[in-house]
Amino acid sequence: MINILFFIIFPLLFMGIIHRVKAIMVGRKGKPISQNMRDFLKLLRKDEVISTNATLISRVAPAGALAATICAALFVPFVNSNSVLSFRGDYIMVVYLLSLAKGMMVLAALDSGSSFQGMGTSRELSFTAFLEPAFFLIIAAIIFSVGTGSISELFARQSITYLRIWDVFASLFIAVALYIMLLVESCRVPFDDPSTHLELTMIHEVMVLDFSGFSMALIHYTSALKMFIYASLIAHLAVPANNIWWYLGILIFIYLFTGVLESLMARFRMNRNLELVLVPFCIALLTLAVLLAKNMGAW
Amino acid sequence: MSIGILILLIAIVPALWKRSGTFVILWFLGSAFLAFEYMEVLYSRAVQDYLLSMPLPLGDIHIGLNKLSAFFGVIFSLGLPLGMLYGHFYLKEHASEALRSHLFWLGIMGLSMHGLLWIRHSLVFLMVWELMSLSSFFCVLFSKQENLKPGLNYLIMMQVGAAFLIAGFGLSYLQSGTFNFSGFEDMNPLPMFLILVGFAFKAGVFPFASWLPQAHPVAPSHVSGIMSSMLVKTGFYGFLVIVSANRFSLREIIAMSLIFCISAFWAVSHMLNERNLKRILAFSTIENVGIAGMGMCLGLLGAHAKLPGMALMGFCGAFLHIFFHSIFKAQLFYNSGNIMHGGGGLDIDNLGGLAKKMPKTAVFTLLGVMTISAIPLTNGFFSEFNIFKAALEASDAVMLTHLLPSLLILASLAFIGALAMIAFFRFYGIAFLGAARSARADMATEAKLGLRMPIFILSLGILITGIFPNIPLRFVKPLLRWFDLDMHYYRELQILGLQITYVYVILIALFLLLYVLRRVCVKEKSSATWACGYPRVNRKMQSSSITFVQPLAYFLKPFMIKKSSVMKQPGAFPEQVDYSEEHPDQVWEMIVTPLSKLLSRMLLLFSGIHNGRTNSYIAWALAFLVLMLIWVAGFR
């Protein structure tokens, strides 16, 4: 229950941290952390403008995407390391629920017939092609390290304990891979710039150009929740013994770090992006290879 | 043997009188009887076993059913009558004077598909196999001149496949001394390999699959639906017959998994570039056979590594995928028929905006697209779930040789699944969403009720088996037991299925809540799509099928051979530029065409023999007899 409350309230507040950090880094005061939440509530009360091309899909998709993402979040450990739902092999379900959400948004973007949105979807989808195998390999690596179970069990068991050097190694590597996935999936800076105002260079934001009002609120919330899911998974990897304060601290650190990263880095060239999206895949492969070698008794 | 087959035989009579309605009704009736019989074999101890004593070259012919053929039989007897029903309405729309022969061959094709499952004697099996190839060839032709080349290509490919089968069956006879399937147990590797290759031609596995993307697009939609969703499965049935009777060495299993991975990847890389809807679907058949094959390989690996959980989940995933694919691929092919008829073509770049003009077809197609991309709520998800789970179950394996192939399958299945999702969302987005891309698509009309009915039934099947995975699980249960797998893990899967249903209930409830909330709260205004300063978006400005995959095509360039041409008027400001690109099938271009050219050039060397003079023919015959005499005498 505490998990549900947690992931309902906090995703947008945590997004606020990034904005605040970015503002401070460039010397502005920045908007309050709760601003995203207020925007969300305001958008919920607004009416919508819908494209004349739009069909039922545009009307259904934001709700469907959010429902699927919430369902995925039910499997993910947040403050409480026991997730609301879990069964053996639910990680496959999580991956595919997230891809259901993405699929919904992709179709909704194509629905308006805008050339920009088509561009955005093709970019977003081509990232997926490399992220899905990466996620499965990450899961496989964790399974090698700690045995099978549900996603919450896996991430609770796999954590940094200083007694076992291999766990530290595996956790850190997987955390890096997951962090890059987080940046790609929630379209943060080196891959995409959410604050850009040129449609040609956008990815996620351009997909939702034609949405407004209530649907827009749902979409904002969906992407914040997705980022929150990844951040929470990373935090659980890095927390020793499921300590709540450590968990919260690392969660905040991830958002702070993302903010700092965004202020310090420029985005990458668009057509080279895909090569970098391969990085988590490679890291996962490497981790897996090393764990395999270890299990086979190489060391 | 059975009343069902008898009814199906009788169904040929109305076919000869062009009564397609009666033909379909008889097919439904016969299939119901047959389905009952198959179910009986599948679920009870009932046995269907006959021995037909024939003169010597044939010997005792064993006819009967086992759990495996009964499983495929149920799939056929559910799918075929629906295909015939769609065909009935489709043929009404596309009137042709060849109705009589088409219906006749359609009936023969269905009959021979059922017949294959009953016959357990390799020579008779081959005869029926040839009959099936021939009848499906005539179905593809549909008495259209332009269908002749792809149709003939299909027939020839099937003959080459049959040659492999003949060689394999012959060698197996030499080894075991019987033509019956009981002789397939513990075969030598050579005949086994030959038989597997022979079946691979039919099943559409990588180097032998070039006929699929050529024959499917030209065939009438009901035929391509039946062929792609069921006829191709007879090849897979052949694989399973061999797999169930033999033990494979680890090297063979790894080789097979590699072939299936390559096959699926090859197909998916073509799907991403294809513009013709039916060609996309044809390639997707190759991909799905590859996925089912990966499941089978995981099962074999699990059995080899003594991991009962992995073995069960792998086989279960493969069987479920075969079953589900027969539903959703048929659904998509019938939809493609409606799209072609209503929207005026199969080139997705000439469609667009169909969701408004054909709302019902759009919903059905969306469901099909979701299933084929293994999105939750549909049945395609559950079979891939099983295969993924089997691959991850390999973590308990002790030997690297078991681990690495399953990891390879895991990663490539995830990659292939994602690419297939992209390919199908591309198709759906471009064909159904946005604005119409051509004047013809602007005048698209919804398909008639009859054409939508079989699709509706299949869609219902997708949803039921998708949301309640325990129903299809129960369907494959006897088969899993027959394969001697550890049923303890089956119960685990059952619990998983139940949990998945609960998740779906939560998902649907959440969605409805949000959607109703939106309906209640929001007032909508309609306005043109925002176009960054242009007054309005015109249809040429939408993302096309080529631009959509451009980022991926940049990355996967080595796997996507492209032939592009630019036609430009001279001058600094050309008024018109034509760009076209084509993605030829590499196997066809590089292997099949040169090989057949070489073959015909070689045969040209012997054309001198054929000189038209009787006395020289007699001389050839005499020379042949003399040679035979020497050979026979030499052996004595």
Side-chain angles (χ1 to χ4, degrees), chain B residues 503-514:
Chain B
V503 177
Y504 287 159
V505 171
I506 297 175
L507 179 66
I508 293 170
L510 266 172
F511 165 70
L512 285 180
L513 181 77
L514 287 167

Side-chain angles (χ1 to χ4, degrees), chain A residues 16-17 19-33:
Chain A
I17 297 178
H19 292 288
R20 194 62 186 264
V21 170
K22 276 170 82 176
I24 291 172
M25 289 288 283
V26 294
R28 284 185 286 117
K29 197 165 159 240
K31 47 191 183 186
I33 285 178

Side-chain angles (χ1 to χ4, degrees), chain B residues 293-355:
Chain B
M294 285 180 206
M296 189 179 82
C297 289
L298 281 174
L300 287 173
L301 269 175
H304 196 275
K306 305 220 164 33
L307 294 171
M310 181 181 168
L312 182 120
M313 281 167 201
F315 275 116
C316 184
F319 298 150
L320 283 176
H321 205 74
I322 289 167
F323 174 44
F324 294 157
H325 181 250
S326 79
I327 303 177
F328 63 68
K329 187 48 64 66
Q331 197 251 25
L332 275 169
F333 260 116
Y334 303 156
N335 267 320
S336 80
N338 290 0
I339 293 166
M340 185 176 75
H341 192 68
L346 286 170
D347 186 346
I348 56 174
D349 274 334
N350 288 334
L351 299 169
L354 293 187

